[in-house]
Amino acid sequence: MISYIFGLLSAISFGISNTYWKKAVSSVSFPGLVFFRGIIASTCFGISWFVFTKTKQLPSSFINENATLQQYGVTVILCVACSLGLVFYLKSLNYSPVSISVPLSSINIFGILTAVIVLHEKFHPIYYFSFGIGIVGALLSQSYSFYGTKFSWNIGGTYAILASLFWGTSYTLFKFSSKWMGAIPLAFILETTVLTTAFIWIQISDKNFFRSKKILSSKNLKHYFVLAIFLLFGTLFFNLAVQKIPILIINLFGFFTLFVSISTGILVYKEKLSFKQVIGIIFLLVSIFAVKY
């Protein structure tokens, strides 16, 4: 029962985090936000790993000291893929509203196929329906015209789907890593990898970023800590839940992530969507909801 609670708390934390990015970027660029958020998160997870290893107070689900060097290597590769998912998701927010980027990046095709092929979880016939209606929803949400010759695809949709690919695959395979080393070491390696990715991103996009005095203003520090807090809870609870619950069941909790993210995008950010895009989002939600059952 406790694992299901962890899964629900993780989904809610990620849902709030997904929408807060849009607000925080008004002050700091996405790479900067990822970098400073990563410093806070990796520091917290690193200290936790060190302290609890010394005190022996946590079960192996939190920290497992029997992981091999090869298992750490595989985990780093998965973390790199996961960090690319975040990069593509944030880039999608530059071109699409939250209520579009979140559903597209949450399409479960890649994660489910990975769970079926690699983890050998059962593939249900409802998935065919889910995939079909998900494709239609993606096209509608990006203003695809079924009756004319015009094909209008916002690049934000492409970035969101790439995020779905990297996130879906890596988070599914984290089931192995979480069992190998425990929730806290996995979280530390993931956030350290994301932090490194953000640093490289900054060097490519804005080499003068660290020279700005505004990056450590009280307003920006608030953004860093808010994003870090929801990340800490979301990542830790996910890593604990994935050890005990099948990936296909964990996907059920993603519906709460979508609900929180889309509701916030529409109510808080006052995002305005066309009728066609609303229908597209409904199709995407139906697709995701169908897969989860």
Side-chain angles (χ1 to χ4, degrees):
M1 180 63 184
I2 188 66
S3 296
Y4 288 86
I5 295 176
F6 285 152
L8 179 60
L9 292 175
S10 173
I12 294 173
S13 297
F14 282 137
I16 297 173
S17 176
N18 284 347
T19 53
Y20 193 83
W21 285 106
K22 197 83 170 182
K23 178 179 181 179
V25 79
S26 62
S27 301
V28 184
S29 65
F30 280 134
L33 289 169
V34 176
F35 179 79
F36 284 105
R37 183 205 69 161
I39 288 178
I40 297 171
S42 58
T43 299
C44 290
F45 284 128
I47 292 174
S48 299
W49 188 0
F50 176 79
V51 171
F52 291 122
T53 297
K54 294 297 183 180
T55 59
K56 308 290 184 181
Q57 295 298 312
L58 292 180
S60 60
S61 59
F62 283 86
I63 299 176
N64 188 345
E65 298 180 349
N66 297 319
T68 65
L69 184 61
Q70 182 180 11
Q71 290 170 341
Y72 276 108
V74 172
T75 298
V76 169
I77 294 174
L78 292 178
C79 289
V80 170
C82 188
S83 68
L84 291 177
L86 177 60
V87 170
F88 285 122
Y89 171 73
L90 296 179
K91 288 182 73 66
S92 75
L93 291 179
N94 285 326
Y95 302 94
S96 300
V98 170
S99 46
I100 293 292
S101 293
V102 171
L104 284 176
S105 63
S106 301
I107 294 175
N108 291 315
I109 294 176
F110 305 108
I112 289 173
L113 289 178
T114 303
V116 171
I117 296 172
V118 180
L119 302 182
H120 306 293
E121 295 188 2
K122 187 176 180 181
F123 189 91
H124 298 284
I126 190 65
Y127 297 161
Y128 293 108
F129 166 78
S130 175
F131 292 170
I133 199 170
I135 292 172
V136 174
L139 294 175
L140 285 173
S141 68
Q142 292 297 306
S143 301
Y144 173 75
S145 177
F146 290 97
Y147 302 104
T149 57
K150 181 181 179 182
F151 179 86
S152 176
W153 180 268
N154 187 319
I155 192 174
T158 301
Y159 285 138
I161 290 176
L162 286 172
S164 173
L165 168 63
F166 285 103
W167 273 344
T169 304
S170 59
Y171 271 109
T172 298
L173 296 179
F174 278 155
K175 189 175 186 71
F176 293 119
S177 298
S178 188
K179 288 183 178 180
W180 290 338
M181 61 193 62
I184 292 178
L186 172 57
F188 172 77
I189 294 173
L190 174 58
E191 294 315 315
T192 303
T193 303
V194 172
L195 173 63
T196 304
T197 301
F199 180 77
I200 295 173
W201 191 359
I202 291 172
Q203 295 305 307
I204 294 174
S205 62
D206 185 7
K207 294 183 179 180
N208 296 319
F209 173 79
F210 293 108
R211 298 178 183 178
S212 173
K213 297 180 180 180
K214 295 181 179 180
I215 59 176
L216 294 180
S217 66
S218 58
K219 179 181 179 180
N220 291 336
L221 287 174
K222 182 192 73 172
H223 293 324
Y224 306 150
F225 276 99
V226 169
L227 288 170
I229 288 171
F230 286 112
L231 170 75
L232 289 169
F233 285 115
T235 301
L236 179 61
F237 289 141
F238 175 86
N239 291 345
L240 290 171
V242 77
Q243 296 182 36
K244 303 292 184 180
I245 305 175
I247 289 294
L248 297 181
I249 295 180
I250 286 183
N251 283 336
L252 171 62
F253 299 114
F255 180 75
F256 294 98
T257 299
L258 281 169
F259 177 79
V260 172
S261 297
I262 294 176
S263 298
T264 304
I266 293 175
L267 298 176
V268 176
Y269 297 139
K270 309 299 181 182
E271 295 179 345
K272 296 180 180 180
L273 306 174
S274 68
F275 177 75
K276 186 185 295 184
Q277 288 177 315
V278 172
I279 297 299
I281 291 174
I282 292 174
F283 273 37
L284 287 170
L285 290 175
V286 170
S287 169
I288 294 167
F289 193 75
V291 163
K292 300 177 191 311
Y293 282 107

